């Protein structure tokens, strides 16, 4: 008998979830009696683990996947055990790669996934559920797609409540503009939930600044080069009417700064990437918003994996544990140095069994 189980019997204080998580990590494929009543738990498996995402070239997605790798290493596996399914911004490739991964592993899979765009989430979830795999998603899904409609196989969905933070960055921008002038917005992929919410945040702030005019808002697909090209076209079209720039992510902001060259202009962005935080400290950006992608990437993998091994049963969890908001931190010049020391100079250590610790409550949908 392991020391862990002996101590459990002696103390009888450990929670059901942490007992099962420890069992999954340390007792291989044994069939365990359930100390809380009911029949024996089925033999544990060793599911193949994958992250499906856009690309690793951006600091944001690199941090997400590094979180997944940290979780995999916490299981005693090499980080190479986490398979990267890189969709390169293609919803078709995302679905095809996931189907191939399921087929290769006979459905014995635990997947973490950003579906690339919202409509793509349903066919991905349906494919995983049909194959008997387990999946946790982030960012993109339609409002009518819910984990609890798929039993245990669709484990969870995490997104971030972007409207309020994007509104806060817009207010910082408008105040830097002196409360007047023209602003342009460079957005993400039009069908992406965060792209919609970040533009809505800008529009919410505009209601309190009647002398600020939104000159234009166009998608730049989260891409630096597209951001540079779009900003150049805005400059050609609107010239010196542009007094501020609202960017949907840091990558776009890098392109905007490139297009502006020596022209100084207040800019805000989103994601809290290390380069962007340094730009805030240097005064090139007014603000960005951090969503803790390392934690998000690790906990999304952890949820899918532990559901697949039977360590916990998603269908027994409340809805706020199956659809929930991740954490956000506004980073401006006054607190950028402190933020950098806490989150970027050394990556915090996270308890990958604490699935919902830093989360921000159940996702709320517009009626």
């Amino acid at each position: 008998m392991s020391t862990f189980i002996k101590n459990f019997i002696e103390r009888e204080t450990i929670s059901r979830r942490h007992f099962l998580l420890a069992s999954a990590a340390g007792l291989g494929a044994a069939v365990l009696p359930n100390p809380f009543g009911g029949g024996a738990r089925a033999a544990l498996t060793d599911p193949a683990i994958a992250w499906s995402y856009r690309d690793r070239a951006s600091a944001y997605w690199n941090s997400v996947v590094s979180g997944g790798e940290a979780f995999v290493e916490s299981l005693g596996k090499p980080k190479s055990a986490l398979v990267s399914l890189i969709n390169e911004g293609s919803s078709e490739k995302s679905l095809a790669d996931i189907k191939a991964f399921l087929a290769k592993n006979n459905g014995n899979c635990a997947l973490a996934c950003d579906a690339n765009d919202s409509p793509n989430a349903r066919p991905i979830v349906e494919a995983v559920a049909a194959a008997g795999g387990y999946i946790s998603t982030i960012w993109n899904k339609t409002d009518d797609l819910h984990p609890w409609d798929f039993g245990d196989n669709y484990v969870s969905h995490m997104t971030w409540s972007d409207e309020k933070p994007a509104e806060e960055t817009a207010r910082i921008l408008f105040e830097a503009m002196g409360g007047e002038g023209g602003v342009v917005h460079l957005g993400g992929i039009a069908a992406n939930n965060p792209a919609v919410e970040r533009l809505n945040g800008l529009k919410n702030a505009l209601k309190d600044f009647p002398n600020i005019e939104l000159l234009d808002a166009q998608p730049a697909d989260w891409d630096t080069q597209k951001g540079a090209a779009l900003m150049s076209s805005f400059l050609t079209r609107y010239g010196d009417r542009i007094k501020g720039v609202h960017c949907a992510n840091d990558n776009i902001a890098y392109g905007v700064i490139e297009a502006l060259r020596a022209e100084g202009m207040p800019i805000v962005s989103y994601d809290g990437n290390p380069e962007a935080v340094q730009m805030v400290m240097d005064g090139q950006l007014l603000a960005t918003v951090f969503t803790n992608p390392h934690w998000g990437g690790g906990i999304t993998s952890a949820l899918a994996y532990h559901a697949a091994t039977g360590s916990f049963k998603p269908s027994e969890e409340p809805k706020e544990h199956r659809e929930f908001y991740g954490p956000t931190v506004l980073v401006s010049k006054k607190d950028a140095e402190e933020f950098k020391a806490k989150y970027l100079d050394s990556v915090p250590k996270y308890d990958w069994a604490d699935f919902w610790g830093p989360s921000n409550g159940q996702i709320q949908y517009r009626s």
Side-chain angles (χ1 to χ4, degrees):
M1 179 180 293
S2 71
T3 301
F4 175 85
I5 295 180
K6 182 178 179 181
N7 289 341
F8 167 77
I9 293 171
E10 290 174 351
R11 297 194 308 270
E12 296 186 348
T13 58
I14 194 164
S15 71
R16 178 176 184 270
R17 176 178 295 115
H18 280 79
F19 172 78
L20 293 170
L21 290 172
S23 300
L27 292 180
V31 178
L32 299 178
N34 186 344
F36 303 94
R41 184 168 292 279
L44 301 176
T45 60
D46 187 23
I49 312 170
W51 240 111
S52 173
Y53 59 100
R54 185 178 179 87
D55 64 63
R56 201 161 182 172
S58 75
Y60 176 83
W61 282 109
N62 186 63
S63 185
V64 167
V65 181
S66 73
E69 291 171 341
F71 163 68
V72 166
E73 289 180 314
S74 77
L75 299 173
K77 300 175 181 288
K79 65 182 181 181
S80 59
L82 179 70
V83 177
S84 282
L85 304 177
I86 300 174
N87 63 50
E88 299 172 347
S90 166
S91 296
E92 293 78 9
K93 189 174 189 304
S94 175
L95 179 57
D97 287 351
I98 287 172
K99 285 182 174 180
F101 185 73
L102 291 165
K104 179 180 179 181
N105 294 284
N106 297 314
N108 186 31
C109 301
L111 292 116
C113 174
D114 172 39
N116 188 60
D117 64 23
S118 298
N120 196 40
R122 182 173 292 277
I124 285 175
V125 168
E126 289 176 346
V128 173
Y134 291 78
I135 185 167
S136 289
T137 58
I138 69 170
W139 284 121
N140 290 299
K141 76 171 186 65
T142 54
D143 289 355
D144 62 347
L145 179 67
H146 302 291
W148 47 83
D149 292 333
F150 291 82
D152 293 319
N153 298 93
Y154 188 5
V155 181
S156 64
H157 178 74
M158 174 168 54
T159 190
W160 283 258
S161 183
D162 286 343
E163 280 196 22
K164 185 63 175 176
E167 179 181 336
E168 290 173 345
T169 64
R171 291 179 182 278
I172 290 171
L173 176 65
F174 297 164
E175 289 168 4
M177 293 166 58
E180 60 183 13
V183 65
V184 292
H185 172 81
L186 292 85
I189 296 171
N192 282 183
N193 292 347
V196 173
E197 291 193 353
R198 293 172 195 182
L199 177 56
N200 285 342
L202 168 67
K203 291 178 177 178
N204 291 342
L206 283 168
K207 296 173 185 177
D208 293 332
F209 289 83
N211 294 324
I212 298 285
E213 179 186 4
L214 178 58
L215 298 171
D216 214 331
Q218 298 292 336
D221 297 347
W222 311 118
D223 184 79
T224 298
Q225 291 185 343
K226 290 182 180 179
L230 181 57
M231 189 66 213
S232 294
S233 72
F234 282 164
L235 289 169
T236 299
R237 184 171 182 179
Y238 300 106
D240 58 9
R241 292 174 62 193
I242 302 174
K243 303 300 182 184
V245 186
H246 191 267
C247 299
N249 78 341
D250 293 338
N251 284 354
I252 293 171
Y254 305 152
V256 167
I257 291 170
E258 178 185 331
L260 289 172
R261 299 186 184 276
E263 290 187 51
M265 190 176 295
I267 306 166
V268 295
S269 63
Y270 211 107
D271 279 349
N273 291 331
E275 298 88 348
V277 172
Q278 187 62 52
M279 288 178 174
V280 172
M281 293 171 66
D282 295 341
Q284 293 178 279
L285 291 173
L286 292 175
T288 185
V289 177
F290 181 67
T291 58
N292 204 339
H294 183 86
W295 177 80
I299 214 64
T300 304
S301 294
L303 282 160
Y305 177 84
H306 284 301
T309 61
S311 303
F312 81 108
K313 196 171 179 62
S315 58
E316 295 178 353
E317 296 293 334
K319 288 184 176 180
E320 59 264 30
H321 285 177
R322 303 197 71 185
E323 289 187 351
F324 56 93
Y325 290 123
T328 55
V329 180
L330 179 68
V331 183
S332 62
K333 191 172 180 63
K334 66 180 180 181
D335 50 33
E337 188 171 348
E338 179 182 352
F339 168 85
K340 181 174 180 290
K342 181 175 180 180
Y343 288 101
L344 303 181
D345 289 345
S346 60
V347 178
K349 298 294 183 183
Y350 296 104
D351 176 4
W352 300 120
D354 182 15
F355 298 147
W356 302 284
S359 63
N360 276 333
Q362 187 175 350
I363 296 171
Q364 302 298 311
Y365 297 100
R366 291 176 178 271
S367 56

